[in-house]
């Protein structure tokens, strides 16, 4: 797998505040990455540094094989940072033509990309007449003009209404399906969970985790169970070393696994014990839960 | 290079305010030809400006470059806002993300400024040539093409002034404030002149020192042409005075302005490089 971005011991200080602390990670081709972290955790600063708009304090980063200068590499990258920035007095097409000129690509893909984000009918309207959702979609179209090796999105759904959020997610899914590498920074966990295969978790400028989403916690998931004989169910599970903590809440029993076990196996086991289930679901921890566990672990 | 100029052209030409200002600037440059039409015919007093010798070669080079130099303020507004708008629209950030290097960004602005100066110079050259052909008392080739250093000085003056505007646009980031700063700087130079003259040196030394200040240096490049007119000179003579002014463009004056231009452009680049956007 070829590497797209390598960040090595990157640090950025704003006066006494350290926004990014000794951060290292790398982005491989073909994956969808999420950078997760609460507000102010250094996500945007990190992206700003690799995108040539924020100066690093120390450390290094390089694009692709490390032989291209940052600004040349950026011509093969599509990126949107926070808010869509275009010339308000120019139309969508004029703005995109300008971007083509900067990226040194031919303007023939403008219509195709506008079509993709659903702005083709409004292509001759001035940018300032667009709604925020449309502006954001135009920004995505602009980032895709060069069919980039990697698409970088920083909080792409920030400030959008539910419909706008949905549209953006659909576009991201479409782009990801085409095999484009994506780096998505967000504090919205379900957003990352829905599209990303890998995550990098930041807190106060430090990396807490980087790797596959499902490998984030060494966890085997948990069962949600209901039965008529709740007491004997609970007693049986407690005696089994395969189960860790067991809680009962509102008549629903939650049992965490200590090792791999599938639902059929459990069902057979319980039936043999004379316990019939009225409800059986196996779940994985949500990213949110994992994220909170991870950040909590680090504080203590 | 043409890519950078084209980028800047797209940005400027699609902005209605800039387009109007640029157009009116060049119309004004051309309108200097209308001066030729100034004619008073009040009974015994007949006055035709074109007959006063202002369109004589090579004097016309001096006169026209001096007068049109005033119109540069129109372009100053365009240039300051083309720089500061990049900050207020945050498009500078997007430009860099899209793959323009900081050097290319400054270079695209500087090339635009140089083109403005170059086109202005060509305009003034052509308009003056046509006017001179129509009204000059001398039309020998050798006379027509003498004293062309005024055009060179005009070009350097514009480049210097526009670079100053660029720098202010980057430094202040708001067009209105940047233009205010420009006026403030003019006042500041006048104030320094007053202080030096009052407390330190005589008139001549003061002039020499002030010659190193950017706006003053640009002003010095083209000295006022009116005292060269026959009418003015004979009036002065009648009063028993002698005018002994040095009208010529000096190489060191050009050098000072070019120096300032370099300082402005490199400081703009340094500022852009240092700042986090």
């Amino acid at each position: 797998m070829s590497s797209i971005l390598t960040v090595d011991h990157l640090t950025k200080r704003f006066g006494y505040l350290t926004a990014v602390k000794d951060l290292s990670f790398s982005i491989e081709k073909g994956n969808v990455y999420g950078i997760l972290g609460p507000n102010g955790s250094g996500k945007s600063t990190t992206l700003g540094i690799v995108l040539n708009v924020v100066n690093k304090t120390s450390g290094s980063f390089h694009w692709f094989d490390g032989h291209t200068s940052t600004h040349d590499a950026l011509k093969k990258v599509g990126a949107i940072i926070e808010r869509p920035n275009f010339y308000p007095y120019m139309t969508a097409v004029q703005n995109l033509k300008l971007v083509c000129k900067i990226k040194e690509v031919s303007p023939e893909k403008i219509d195709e990309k506008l079509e993709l984000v659903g702005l083709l009918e409004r292509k001759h309207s001035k940018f300032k007449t667009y709604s925020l959702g449309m502006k954001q979609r135009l920004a995505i179209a602009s980032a895709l003009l060069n069919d980039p090796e990697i698409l970088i999105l920083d909080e792409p759904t920030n400030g959008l209404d539910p419909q706008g959020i949905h549209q953006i997610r659909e576009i991201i899914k479409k782009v990801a399906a085409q095999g484009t590498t994506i780096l998505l920074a967000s504090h919205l966990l379900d957003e990352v969970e829905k599209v990303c295969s890998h995550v990098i978790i930041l807190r106060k400028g430090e990396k807490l985790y980087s790797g596959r989403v499902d490998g984030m916690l060494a966890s085997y998931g948990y069962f949600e169970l209901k039965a008529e004989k709740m007491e004997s169910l609970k007693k049986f599970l407690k005696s089994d070393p395969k189960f860790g903590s067991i809680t009962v809440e509102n008549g629903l029993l939650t049992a965490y696994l200590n090792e791999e076990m599938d639902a059929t196996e459990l069902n057979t086991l319980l039936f043999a014990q004379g316990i019939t289930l009225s409800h059986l679901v196996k779940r994985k921890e949500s990213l949110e839960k994992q994220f909170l566990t991870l950040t909590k672990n680090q504080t203590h | 290079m043409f890519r950078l100029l084209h980028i800047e052209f797209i940005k400027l030409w699609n902005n209605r305010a800039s387009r109007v200002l640029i157009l009116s600037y060049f119309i004004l440059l051309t309108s200097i030809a209308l001066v030729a039409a100034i004619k008073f015919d009040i009974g015994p007093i007949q006055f035709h400006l074109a007959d006063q010798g202002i369109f004589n070669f090579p004097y016309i080079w001096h006169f026209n470059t001096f007068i049109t130099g005033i119109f540069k303020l129109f372009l100053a507004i365009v240039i300051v806002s083309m720089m500061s708008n990049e900050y207020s629209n945050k498009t500078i950030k997007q430009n860099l993300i899209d793959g323009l290097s900081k050097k290319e960004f400054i270079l695209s602005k500087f090339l635009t400024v140089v083109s403005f100066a170059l086109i202005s110079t060509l305009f003034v050259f052509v308009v003056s040539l046509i006017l001179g052909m129509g009204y000059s008392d001398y039309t020998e080739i050798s006379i027509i093409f003498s004293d062309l250093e005024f055009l060179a000085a005009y070009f350097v003056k514009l480049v210097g002034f526009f670079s100053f505007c660029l720098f202010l646009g980057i430094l202040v980031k708001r067009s209105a404030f940047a233009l205010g700063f420009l006026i403030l700087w003019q006042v500041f130079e006048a104030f320094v002149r007053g202080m030096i003259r009052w407390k330190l040196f005589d008139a001549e030394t003061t002039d020499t020192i002030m010659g190193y200040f950017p706006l003053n240096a640009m002003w010095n490049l083209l000295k006022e042409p009116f005292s060269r007119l026959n009418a003015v000179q004979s009036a002065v003579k009648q009063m028993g005075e002698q005018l002994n002014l040095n009208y010529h463009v000096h190489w060191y004056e050009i050098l000072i302005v070019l120096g300032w231009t370099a300082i402005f452009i490199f400081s703009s680049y340094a500022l852009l490089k240092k700042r986090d956007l």
Side-chain angles (χ1 to χ4, degrees), chain B residues 180-191:
Chain B
F181 195 94
L182 187 66
I183 296 164
L184 203 70
W185 185 260
Q186 178 74 64
V187 174
F188 169 76
E189 283 196 17
F191 172 76

Side-chain angles (χ1 to χ4, degrees), chain A residues 12 14 52-55 71 74-75 79 85-90 94 98-99 101-104, chain B residues 3 6-7 11 14-15 86 89-91 94-99 101-102 273-277:
Chain A
K12 172 67 186 178
F14 292 110
N52 202 16
V53 290
V54 176
N55 295 311
H71 74 270
L74 289 182
K75 286 177 185 150
N85 301 318
F86 288 100
Y87 296 88
Y89 51 83
M90 278 157 52
Q94 287 168 338
L98 185 67
V99 174
K101 206 80 201 160
I102 291 176
K103 287 192 177 288
E104 295 182 277
Chain B
R3 168 178 159 252
H6 193 198
I7 288 173
K11 292 179 192 171
N14 288 316
N15 186 341
E86 301 271 8
N89 296 334
K90 288 200 173 173
T91 40
Q94 195 62 44
N95 280 180
L96 296 182
I97 292 172
D98 285 339
S101 71
K102 289 180 176 178
K273 239 179 138 171
K274 210 180 121 244
R275 273 193 192 141
D276 293 326
L277 293 165

Side-chain angles (χ1 to χ4, degrees), chain A residues 17-261:
Chain A
L17 176 91
T18 308
V20 177
K21 202 184 279 175
D22 201 30
L23 182 65
S24 306
F25 64 88
S26 69
I27 303 285
E28 307 291 335
K29 196 175 167 67
N31 295 329
V32 178
Y33 289 84
I35 299 190
L36 271 179
N39 290 329
S41 57
K43 301 185 299 284
S44 296
T45 311
T46 309
L47 293 182
I49 294 171
V50 297
L51 292 174
N52 202 16
V53 290
V54 176
N55 295 311
K56 59 181 196 263
T57 307
S58 64
S60 68
F61 67 90
H62 63 82
W63 286 97
F64 306 111
D65 54 2
H67 296 303
T68 29
S69 68
T70 303
H71 74 270
D72 275 330
L74 289 182
K75 286 177 185 150
K76 292 191 263 175
V77 172
I80 314 163
I81 279 201
E82 287 158 346
R83 299 249 137 185
N85 301 318
F86 288 100
Y87 296 88
Y89 51 83
M90 278 157 52
T91 66
V93 173
Q94 287 168 338
N95 268 302
L96 293 187
K97 273 188 183 152
L98 185 67
V99 174
C100 284
K101 206 80 201 160
I102 291 176
K103 287 192 177 288
E104 295 182 277
V105 294
S106 86
E108 62 195 7
K109 292 219 164 137
I110 289 179
D111 278 3
E112 177 196 326
K113 302 301 174 191
L114 282 173
E115 171 95 72
L116 177 76
V117 298
L119 283 175
L120 200 56
E121 308 87 72
R122 292 289 306 272
K123 69 176 186 172
H124 290 304
S125 305
K126 290 200 163 123
F127 177 68
K128 61 182 170 201
T129 66
Y130 278 21
S131 69
L132 182 59
M134 293 165 78
K135 287 177 177 177
Q136 195 63 271
R137 281 185 279 148
L138 180 65
I140 293 183
S142 151
L144 290 173
L145 276 176
N146 52 345
D147 289 321
E149 301 263 346
I150 178 171
L151 179 65
I152 296 180
L153 303 160
D154 187 6
E155 310 276 8
T157 55
N158 221 359
L160 297 184
D161 56 18
Q163 200 191 354
I165 293 176
H166 179 71
Q167 282 170 334
I168 299 285
R169 279 193 191 145
E170 287 305 308
I171 295 169
I172 294 176
K173 276 184 202 156
K174 249 190 252 177
V175 174
Q178 288 165 4
T180 310
T181 312
I182 296 180
L183 179 58
L184 173 71
S186 182
H187 61 268
L188 301 173
L189 296 145
D190 57 333
E191 191 165 287
V192 170
E193 190 173 25
K194 275 178 189 144
V195 291
C196 297
S197 58
H198 290 66
V199 277
I200 295 156
I201 295 180
L202 298 181
R203 197 170 52 96
K204 291 183 181 164
E206 281 181 284
K207 184 174 81 180
L208 296 186
Y209 173 79
S210 84
R212 298 195 63 86
V213 174
D214 42 22
M216 219 165 107
L217 284 181
S219 115
Y220 301 97
Y222 59 91
F223 284 111
E224 280 176 4
L225 305 168
K226 262 186 204 169
E228 294 212 341
K229 302 178 197 164
M230 275 304 236
E231 276 313 307
S232 48
L233 172 65
K234 194 173 170 187
K235 216 163 132 192
F236 172 73
L237 293 176
K238 272 199 169 151
S239 65
D240 194 323
K242 286 180 178 171
F243 291 95
S245 77
I246 291 160
T247 53
V248 183
E249 215 172 278
N250 300 329
L252 184 75
L253 186 144
T254 312
Y256 285 86
L257 281 164
N258 281 337
E259 54 189 87
E260 195 56 55
M261 177 190 262

